[in-house]
């Protein structure tokens, strides 16, 4: 016996108080509803509905069991609706990227994802949050900065993208072809907050110190905050996309000879089903690092 279906007959008759009205609500004829209710009563071993000349009245057992019957019927409807939603989204690839990846690189990744799936959902979060979401299964793939604690997740090879210094236009180092990092000791360095990815944050700070630069760190969470800090004349930052700052008169971008400033990225995933798209996104990022569309 289809328990949920027969419970829906019971709920409809109880709420309508009439077999004919219940059948109309269920878009059925009356005999199957009446027969189904009798089967349910036989299965449960109690009489639920008392048939009268006026229609249908609940028995004492029916009154006690009706609330639970409603819950079961409603839960079954919600289950079916959720299953339909998941089926409709079966071809949606859910992916994420670190907030400081930047619009151009995010677009490169999105184009690669679009070539492999009919639809995509994308979020931008700190690396630590992206790792947690991939582990939990709410994301399929994520682009994070390296190094990062990823646990048992699968991480593709590291891609290094060059980054330029973003300097105040009137700073002495702004006119040099390739300024030395130690020439920036009078400026704070703008970096994403350490909490976003402590290992990556500490690696770059340690790299600066090895090159004679031990500046105060100013956390920034966006290019807008970076521009504001640099334009104020007291800080410098890093960008993988100097073209985005070309129209800002108060800042200058300069390349450096060391790769300590490089943006190191990895694509992570959990399921073998997503290994191919992760590899494709890694390849697209590597193409950018090798100069495919990346400004020199």
């Amino acid at each position: 016996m289809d328990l949920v279906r027969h419970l829906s007959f019971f709920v409809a008759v109880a709420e309508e108080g009439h077999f004919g009205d219940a059948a109309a609500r269920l878009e059925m004829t009356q005999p199957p509803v009446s027969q189904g209710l009798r089967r349910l009563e036989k299965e449960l071993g109690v009489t639920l509905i008392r048939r009268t000349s006026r229609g249908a009245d609940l028995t004492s057992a029916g009154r006690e069991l009706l609330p639970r019957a409603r819950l079961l019927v409603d839960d079954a409807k919600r289950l079916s609706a959720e299953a339909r939603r998941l089926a409709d989204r079966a071809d949606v690839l859910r992916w994420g990227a670190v907030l400081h990846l930047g619009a151009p690189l995010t677009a490169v990744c999105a184009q690669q994802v679009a070539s492999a799936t009919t639809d995509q959902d994308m979020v931008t979060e700190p690396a630590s949050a992206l790792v947690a979401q991939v582990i939990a299964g709410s994301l399929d793939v994520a682009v994070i900065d390296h190094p990062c604690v990823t646990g048992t997740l699968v991480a593709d090879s590291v891609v290094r993208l060059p980054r330029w210094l973003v300097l105040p236009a009137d700073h002495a180092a702004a006119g040099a072809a390739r300024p030395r990092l130690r020439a920036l000791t009078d400026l704070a360095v703008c970096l994403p907050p350490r909490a976003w990815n402590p290992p990556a944050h500490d690696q770059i700070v340690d790299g600066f110190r090895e090159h004679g630069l031990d500046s105060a760190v100013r956390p920034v969470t966006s290019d807008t905050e970076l521009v504001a800090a640099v334009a104020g004349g007291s800080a410098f930052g890093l960008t993988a996309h100097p073209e985005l700052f070309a129209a800002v008169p108060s800042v200058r971008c300069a390349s450096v000879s060391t790769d300590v400033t490089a943006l190191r990225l990895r694509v992570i995933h959990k399921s073998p089903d997503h290994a191919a798209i992760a590899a494709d996104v890694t390849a697209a990022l590597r193409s950018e690092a090798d100069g495919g569309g990346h400004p020199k």
Side-chain angles (χ1 to χ4, degrees):
M1 185 185 71
D2 186 340
L3 179 61
V4 173
R5 181 167 180 265
H6 287 81
L7 284 173
S8 70
F9 294 172
F10 167 48
V11 171
V13 173
E15 292 178 348
E16 297 295 334
H18 192 279
F19 281 90
D21 292 343
R25 169 173 150 180
L26 295 167
E27 298 182 344
M28 300 172 61
T29 59
Q30 182 173 332
V33 175
S34 182
Q35 293 165 10
L37 184 56
R38 288 195 184 94
R39 291 194 192 98
L40 177 63
E41 291 175 325
K42 183 178 180 180
E43 178 72 19
L44 298 179
V46 293
T47 301
L48 302 171
I49 297 291
R50 184 180 298 106
R51 294 146 180 86
T52 69
S53 58
R54 297 187 306 275
D57 292 335
L58 282 168
T59 64
S60 59
R63 281 191 295 272
E64 288 192 36
L65 294 176
L66 180 59
R68 187 172 295 276
R70 285 196 182 107
L71 286 175
L72 289 170
V73 172
D74 289 344
D75 280 347
K77 289 178 180 177
R78 282 193 289 270
L79 176 65
S80 296
E82 181 66 11
R84 286 193 298 270
R85 185 188 69 81
L86 292 173
D88 291 342
R89 295 175 59 79
D91 293 330
V92 176
L93 190 133
R94 304 157 300 171
W95 69 285
V98 286
L99 291 153
H100 48 289
L101 183 64
L105 288 176
T106 300
V108 167
C109 296
Q111 289 176 333
Q112 191 61 55
V113 171
S115 69
T117 185
T118 58
D119 200 1
Q120 59 178 287
D121 277 347
M122 189 269 179
V123 298
T124 53
E125 298 276 2
S128 55
L130 293 173
V131 169
Q133 290 180 50
V134 175
I135 290 174
S138 56
L139 287 179
D140 301 317
V141 174
V143 182
I144 62 172
D145 46 347
H146 174 81
C148 184
V149 178
T150 58
T152 59
L153 295 177
V154 179
D156 278 15
S157 58
V158 177
V159 178
R160 288 180 174 82
L161 289 111
R163 282 194 290 191
W164 284 254
L165 300 175
V166 185
L167 303 169
D170 58 358
H171 192 272
R178 286 182 179 269
R180 293 179 177 274
L181 291 176
R182 66 184 60 196
L184 309 178
T185 54
D186 58 328
L187 300 175
V189 56
C190 295
L191 295 173
R194 184 177 184 274
W196 286 9
N197 185 354
H201 181 279
D202 293 348
Q203 183 185 67
I204 194 166
V205 169
D206 290 345
F208 283 157
R209 288 171 179 160
E210 290 174 3
H211 285 77
L213 179 62
D214 192 7
S215 296
V217 176
R218 181 176 301 179
V220 295
T221 61
S222 67
D223 283 344
T224 301
E225 290 184 10
L226 173 60
V227 167
V230 175
S234 61
F236 78 96
L238 302 170
T239 181
H241 302 286
E243 70 276 10
L244 299 180
F245 298 87
V248 183
S250 53
V251 307
R252 294 287 185 273
C253 290
S255 61
V256 289
S257 57
T258 175
D259 74 344
V260 68
T261 59
L263 177 61
R264 293 167 171 82
L265 300 172
R266 297 188 88 171
V267 182
I268 59 172
H269 65 282
K270 180 179 180 181
S271 168
D273 295 339
H274 302 121
I277 185 61
D280 289 344
V281 172
T282 298
L285 289 170
R286 182 164 288 111
S287 177
E288 292 295 302
D290 293 341
H294 204 71
K296 296 294 186 182

